[in-house]
Amino acid sequence: MRYSAEEIQLAHELKAAGLPWQPEPGHFVWDGEPLIEHDSPFHDRVFFILDLKHFLRRSETMEHLIASMVWLPTWQQARELLAGMDVSADAIQSRLIESNALANGNERLVLYQMLMEALPERS
């Protein structure tokens, strides 16, 4: 799976804006520290959490793992997050259509933008 530079940047912004994240198997992450010494099997420091213990051995604590990694939600995970924020499927569909996301191949980026809009305002 490839993530665009725009998606990775927006994921950083989502983290800074307070998007809640609890690392678990099935999550893609961007490792900027880097905690993982190996080259990414994907690209640009993007890793997939298959075995959480592997990541915890390198970070030593869950708090350090959360602080040092940036979660890159998949399309499905972004949809689930939006549903949990009471963003309707109709609103998602309308936004994807009006932004021409399918034709542009950037539907995950549009979902990230919608996540940013749905996050509560920080004081």
Side-chain angles (χ1 to χ4, degrees):
M1 179 170 307
R2 283 196 88 56
Y3 287 85
S4 70
E6 288 176 298
E7 289 169 327
I8 293 170
Q9 177 59 42
L10 196 47
H12 278 83
E13 293 172 23
L14 285 165
K15 179 179 181 174
L19 180 69
W21 176 51
Q22 184 64 37
E24 59 185 62
H27 287 178
F28 282 89
V29 294
W30 182 83
D31 176 21
E33 195 158 308
L35 283 178
I36 309 299
E37 303 88 26
H38 315 291
D39 288 336
S40 168
F42 300 99
H43 66 97
D44 305 328
R45 308 294 312 152
V46 172
F47 292 91
F48 181 73
I49 298 177
L50 182 60
D51 179 5
L52 186 56
K53 291 177 194 160
H54 174 75
F55 284 79
L56 286 172
R57 278 193 299 273
R58 284 167 170 62
S59 67
E60 297 181 2
T61 67
M62 184 63 78
E63 292 76 21
H64 185 228
L65 179 62
I66 291 169
S68 62
M69 298 277 182
V70 175
W71 181 28
L72 302 170
T74 63
W75 182 92
Q76 182 65 35
Q77 290 163 347
R79 288 290 309 268
E80 290 168 1
L81 287 165
L82 287 166
M85 296 173 174
D86 295 325
V87 177
S88 72
D90 287 343
I92 294 168
Q93 179 180 353
S94 294
R95 181 72 168 273
L96 291 173
I97 290 169
E98 73 188 32
S99 66
N100 208 21
L102 292 172
N104 294 331
N106 67 346
E107 56 266 30
R108 190 172 51 219
L109 180 64
V110 171
L111 295 176
Y112 281 20
Q113 291 165 345
M114 291 183 76
L115 282 169
M116 183 63 84
E117 294 162 10
L119 283 172
E121 291 290 325
R122 296 185 335 164
S123 336

